[in-house]
Amino acid sequence: MMTMSSHNEQQTYRVEGLSCANCAKTFENNVKNLDGVKDADVNFAASKINIAGNTTIEAIEKAGSFENIKVVTNDTANEKKEPFWIRNDKLILATLFILLGFGATYTFGNGHYLSTLLFALAILTGGLSLFKTGLINLVHLQFDMKTLMTIAVLGAAIIGEWREAAVVVILFAISEALESYSMDKARASIRSLMNLSPKSATIRRDGIEQTIDVRDIVIGDTMLIKPGERIAMDGHVVSGVSTIDESPITGESIPVEKEINAPIFAGTINQDGYLEVEVTKKADDTSLAKIIHLVEEAQAERAPSQAFVDRFAAYYTPIIIVIALLVAIIPPLFGAAWSTWIYQGLAVLVVGCPCALVISTPVAIVTAIGRAARNGVLIKGGIHLEQIGFIQSIAFDKTGTLTKGKPEVTDVKVYTDKPEQAFQYLKALESKSQHPLAKAITNYINEQQIDASSVHVDQFLTVQGKGIQGDIDGQRVYVGSPSLFNTISTSIEKQLNAYYAQGKTVMLCGTDKEIYLLVALRDEPKTESKSVLTQLHELGIKHSVMLTGDHPQTANTLGSEMGVSDVHAKLLPEQKLQLIKEYQQKHETIAMVGDGINDTPALAASNVGIAMGTAGTDSALETADIALMGDDLQKLPFTVKLSRKALAIIKQNITFAIGIKVLALLLVIPGWLTLWIAIFADMGATLLVTLNALRLVKVK
């Protein structure tokens, strides 16, 4: 076994063998007690451990030997898993002993020493690790499922029920294997994301082409990408033209054309051209690496329902032990047989095992977050997954979210006898602004081949929410919404209203005394906006709200075209924030959807902030509660649907896990509860909540 120690204070190791949350906690505590370790934190969902301090792989694996936990290094990550029969050799051997035990019972009769010996061997073979952990927990008064099982099996053996004790051990081992399998299936989305990025790439460095490990690639290297190759690093194109399949990152199936200076993301697939790409990020900092890290952290974050289950389980287990003790003691005090009621008490311990309850929530959360990530949606934790499921109102920023964000000039009206000078003034001012409308107007004037290089602008200023101004040729010239101008003639006012009714945005250019130009623009709704809003309303969203700084009539026209239920126009950024707070007071919860850069205060104040088109945008990935990697609104109904499905499954799982325990415990009253019924009830509940949660994988 290779030894790995490091001088770094923080190390992260991937591990295999974590089958349950309690085992993960025991493993974490064991690692914390190792020499040289200052602190340790196990991420059960991602199957990782973060260690502060220095230690070795051998020491870590020794700390997890009770569960046969193994550290996965870069050298072993791609090794094939051992076959099932090797990984579960003790379970298979124990099952063989049980079958031989039943054979001996059938041949020599019940209670024969040979059948007892075979059942005892089955208990030792299949339950040694269980007893080891259970007895340690018992000494430390830590009452988890392994403690309950250890007491039940030892108690059954003491009263001579060797057959039942052996069957309990085997069925508990099978139940744990099912739990481990379900978590592996839930974690599969992370593994598939990790496999998206190649481990090596072809690099040209100092004029020499070479294939090297991605960990050895540095910023500034030139990466050579052939058609059909999967891209290993983030960067930008320096030579070549191609189309790239970005669906692994954004979830969008349509390939994206790439030319010089276009961004390239690790994990995407080059389709038909040869590209040379300058590497801009290290392997650990690529967009894909950030996505994997965020998904793992999100899956580890406890949802409110999971926190409830954990609190409930903390009280539930000791209560079950007390109930089992009372069942075993009270009836015999009134003349009943001790052996019968001790047996019933042991059955209560087994049926009380909270396996199904403990796994009911995390397996659903992990599966849902993983499923979302595979479709280009990053949900930043269980709490946000639950919150979007409860949301009744969703607010949308208009520009770039509901609309294409690329307004085009549709109409121009000139009100001066010097039209060329007016266009020059307009271009000179708009060329200093970064607003999307300014870019559209500048592009339009450039198409008219009007030169404004001789026009000099002094005292340029942005008037928030209204427009821009500057001094040209000794006079102050304004460009912006009609509210920026003091006097507007009746004829211009009539023209404005006609354009507003068509859903157009209008900009005026002029001075305090004269209007030079009127420019009408329209930012077309995205093709999917109307369909998305319809789907959201069908999913139970009561209020869809459009927030914009545009004129009310323009906003209302666009809003009615798309099917928005509420429109709020002529808003400054601080007014958008205030509206979000008002909706929270009226309707309790509201989500805000924006582009991740604008309207940051409103996104932050909402119950769930949803950023769109965030592939490659580090700030949006870090700040949003939910990030839609592609610029596709269709992912929003999918996210709401997935969340509501997950909430429903969590409720079903908790109800079923508790309900089956209560029903089984009621069998104690007539004395019908047996160890067999108890373990089958527990295993059946675990299997059913697992299969129920895995239905989330199929949400479209």
Side-chain angles (χ1 to χ4, degrees):
M1 175 62 67
M2 177 186 71
T3 301
M4 181 184 290
S5 61
S6 174
H7 297 294
N8 296 331
E9 285 297 305
Q10 190 76 29
Q11 287 289 320
T12 299
Y13 300 94
R14 295 192 177 276
V15 294
E16 283 184 353
L18 287 177
S19 61
C20 67
N22 283 321
C23 310
K25 195 67 185 172
T26 304
F27 176 50
E28 179 180 286
N29 292 332
N30 290 351
V31 173
K32 283 180 180 178
N33 293 326
L34 293 175
D35 291 337
V37 174
K38 297 174 183 175
D39 195 16
D41 176 48
V42 170
N43 181 334
F44 171 58
S47 220
K48 282 168 50 175
I49 182 168
N50 300 306
I51 298 174
N54 294 312
T55 188
T56 63
I57 285 179
E58 288 95 329
I60 296 168
E61 290 184 340
K62 189 176 179 182
S65 60
F66 69 95
E67 194 74 356
N68 200 27
I69 291 168
K70 299 292 181 187
V71 173
V72 182
T73 64
N74 286 316
D75 301 317
T76 61
N78 294 322
E79 289 180 5
K80 285 187 178 179
K81 264 192 167 184
E82 292 176 328
F84 175 85
W85 61 272
I86 292 179
R87 283 185 283 124
N88 296 279
D89 54 348
K90 290 178 182 175
L91 174 59
I92 292 168
L93 186 59
T95 305
L96 180 61
F97 282 135
I98 279 188
L99 293 174
L100 291 172
F102 276 108
T105 302
Y106 179 77
T107 305
F108 303 112
N110 198 24
H112 191 273
Y113 74 91
L114 182 58
S115 59
T116 301
L117 177 63
L118 288 166
F119 288 134
L121 286 171
I123 292 168
L124 287 173
T125 309
L128 199 56
S129 62
L130 163 69
F131 301 144
K132 211 187 297 182
T133 308
L135 290 171
I136 291 169
N137 289 349
L138 198 55
V139 169
H140 293 96
L141 298 177
Q142 295 173 346
F143 297 107
D144 66 2
M145 57 191 82
K146 290 196 174 181
T147 314
L148 297 184
M149 285 296 169
T150 300
I151 296 170
V153 171
L154 292 178
I158 289 168
I159 63 172
E161 298 288 349
W162 291 95
R163 181 177 59 183
E164 280 83 349
V167 172
V168 165
V169 166
I170 297 304
L171 292 179
F172 181 71
I174 293 171
S175 181
E176 282 213 310
L178 286 171
E179 191 174 335
S180 178
Y181 170 78
S182 65
M183 288 308 297
D184 279 346
K185 288 288 286 182
R187 293 174 184 135
S189 57
I190 295 179
R191 284 200 299 274
S192 63
L193 285 172
M194 290 168 63
N195 292 333
L196 287 177
S197 186
K199 300 293 183 284
S200 61
T202 303
I203 295 294
R204 184 193 296 131
R205 188 184 290 172
D206 301 325
I208 301 170
E209 290 186 16
Q210 52 191 311
T211 300
I212 62 176
D213 192 292
V214 292
R215 291 170 295 177
D216 299 324
I217 296 173
V218 296
I219 294 171
D221 276 343
T222 300
M223 182 169 55
L224 312 178
I225 308 165
K226 297 174 184 176
E229 282 189 338
R230 194 178 285 276
I231 297 165
M233 305 289 286
D234 280 13
H236 62 259
V237 178
V238 292
S239 175
V241 176
S242 185
T243 53
I244 302 289
D245 176 6
E246 292 188 343
S247 59
I249 299 292
T250 65
E252 293 184 8
S253 57
I254 300 172
V256 181
E257 291 186 9
K258 299 287 181 177
E259 47 192 29
I260 303 297
N261 292 326
I264 297 289
F265 305 122
T268 57
I269 303 165
N270 184 25
Q271 294 208 312
D272 47 23
Y274 176 80
L275 293 176
E276 294 188 2
V277 173
E278 182 181 334
V279 175
T280 56
K281 291 180 181 177
K282 293 180 180 178
D284 290 340
D285 297 326
T286 64
S287 294
L288 180 61
K290 284 184 178 294
I291 291 168
I292 292 167
H293 172 73
L294 290 169
V295 172
E296 289 180 334
E297 294 304 308
Q299 289 181 328
E301 184 183 316
R302 292 179 183 275
S305 58
Q306 191 173 344
F308 159 74
V309 168
D310 290 344
R311 286 196 305 272
F312 181 82
Y315 295 103
Y316 168 86
T317 308
I319 288 170
I320 285 293
I321 291 174
V322 171
I323 291 172
L325 196 61
L326 294 174
V327 167
I329 292 172
I330 291 177
L333 292 178
F334 292 92
W338 280 96
S339 59
T340 301
W341 287 98
I342 288 174
Y343 180 89
Q344 289 284 299
L346 294 174
V348 168
L349 281 181
V350 174
V351 83
C353 179
C355 297
L357 183 62
V358 169
I359 201 175
S360 60
T361 302
V363 73
I365 296 290
V366 170
T367 304
I369 290 176
R371 174 64 179 157
R374 289 292 296 154
N375 283 272
V377 179
L378 287 185
I379 302 175
K380 301 282 287 292
I383 185 169
H384 307 304
L385 177 71
E386 288 199 7
Q387 279 184 324
I388 194 69
F390 289 123
I391 288 291
Q392 298 296 313
S393 305
I394 300 182
F396 297 85
D397 174 40
K398 186 199 81 171
T399 306
T401 302
L402 289 174
T403 63
K404 294 176 181 177
K406 295 178 181 177
E408 293 181 359
V409 174
T410 58
D411 305 271
V412 174
K413 296 286 183 183
V414 181
Y415 301 105
T416 174
D417 54 4
K418 297 179 180 178
E420 186 167 349
Q421 183 188 72
F423 277 115
Q424 288 175 333
Y425 285 2
L426 179 61
K427 183 178 178 181
L429 283 164
E430 292 287 35
S431 62
K432 295 183 179 298
S433 173
Q434 291 297 311
H435 196 280
L437 294 178
K439 291 180 183 177
I441 291 170
T442 305
N443 290 339
Y444 173 80
I445 298 174
N446 286 338
E447 288 171 5
Q448 312 308 309
Q449 298 183 337
I450 294 172
D451 181 24
S453 57
S454 60
V455 178
H456 182 70
V457 179
D458 290 319
Q459 304 293 321
F460 178 83
L461 182 69
T462 298
V463 183
Q464 191 181 43
K466 293 185 177 182
I468 53 178
Q469 65 182 49
D471 294 343
I472 303 175
D473 296 337
Q475 60 183 337
R476 180 149 294 175
V477 181
Y478 301 90
V479 177
S481 66
S483 61
L484 196 57
F485 297 84
N486 294 325
T487 55
I488 297 174
S489 68
T490 307
S491 61
I492 294 178
E493 190 77 51
K494 191 179 290 186
Q495 189 67 64
L496 288 173
N497 290 330
Y499 287 135
Y500 291 147
Q502 297 169 31
K504 295 176 181 178
T505 302
V506 182
M507 306 287 280
L508 299 178
C509 173
T511 64
D512 285 331
K513 299 176 181 177
E514 181 185 1
I515 302 294
Y516 297 151
L517 291 167
L518 178 155
V519 181
L521 308 95
R522 182 169 161 100
D523 185 6
E524 293 293 334
K526 289 181 177 177
T527 52
E528 70 270 20
S529 291
K530 185 173 183 178
S531 145
V532 164
L533 288 161
T534 302
Q535 289 176 59
L536 288 172
H537 292 151
E538 287 172 354
L539 285 168
I541 299 297
K542 295 176 182 174
H543 306 276
S544 55
V545 188
M546 186 172 80
L547 307 180
T548 178
D550 219 331
H551 189 276
Q553 200 172 345
T554 299
N556 284 323
T557 300
L558 285 170
S560 62
E561 281 182 27
M562 292 183 283
V564 179
S565 58
D566 297 318
V567 174
H568 295 275
K570 224 170 184 178
L571 298 175
L572 298 173
E574 57 267 26
Q575 292 174 314
K576 291 183 181 180
L577 173 61
Q578 189 58 41
L579 259 168
I580 292 292
K581 290 181 177 177
E582 287 176 13
Y583 264 88
Q584 284 173 325
Q585 290 172 354
K586 291 178 188 174
H587 309 294
E588 293 185 5
T589 57
I590 186 168
M592 171 74 188
V593 186
D595 60 11
I597 300 167
N598 300 327
D599 305 311
T600 304
L603 283 166
S606 62
N607 298 91
V608 183
I610 304 170
M612 282 191 59
T614 56
T617 312
D618 292 347
S619 59
L621 282 176
E622 295 296 335
T623 56
D625 299 321
I626 295 175
L628 309 183
M629 301 304 294
D631 196 23
D632 182 6
L633 266 179
Q634 290 284 2
K635 298 185 191 310
L636 192 55
F638 161 74
T639 306
V640 173
K641 182 180 176 183
L642 180 69
S643 172
R644 296 197 167 169
K645 187 85 170 173
L647 283 177
I649 282 175
I650 287 169
K651 287 175 183 174
Q652 290 164 12
N653 282 356
I654 292 173
T655 303
F656 185 79
I658 294 174
I660 201 166
K661 302 294 182 188
V662 172
L663 286 173
L665 288 172
L666 290 175
L667 295 177
V668 172
I669 297 170
W672 295 344
L673 184 62
T674 66
L675 284 171
W676 292 55
I677 292 174
I679 195 67
F680 271 117
D682 180 67
M683 189 175 71
T686 302
L687 181 60
L688 283 170
V689 299
T690 298
L691 294 175
N692 196 30
L694 292 177
R695 286 194 297 131
L696 290 166
V697 171
K698 296 183 178 179
V699 176
K700 301 294 183 185

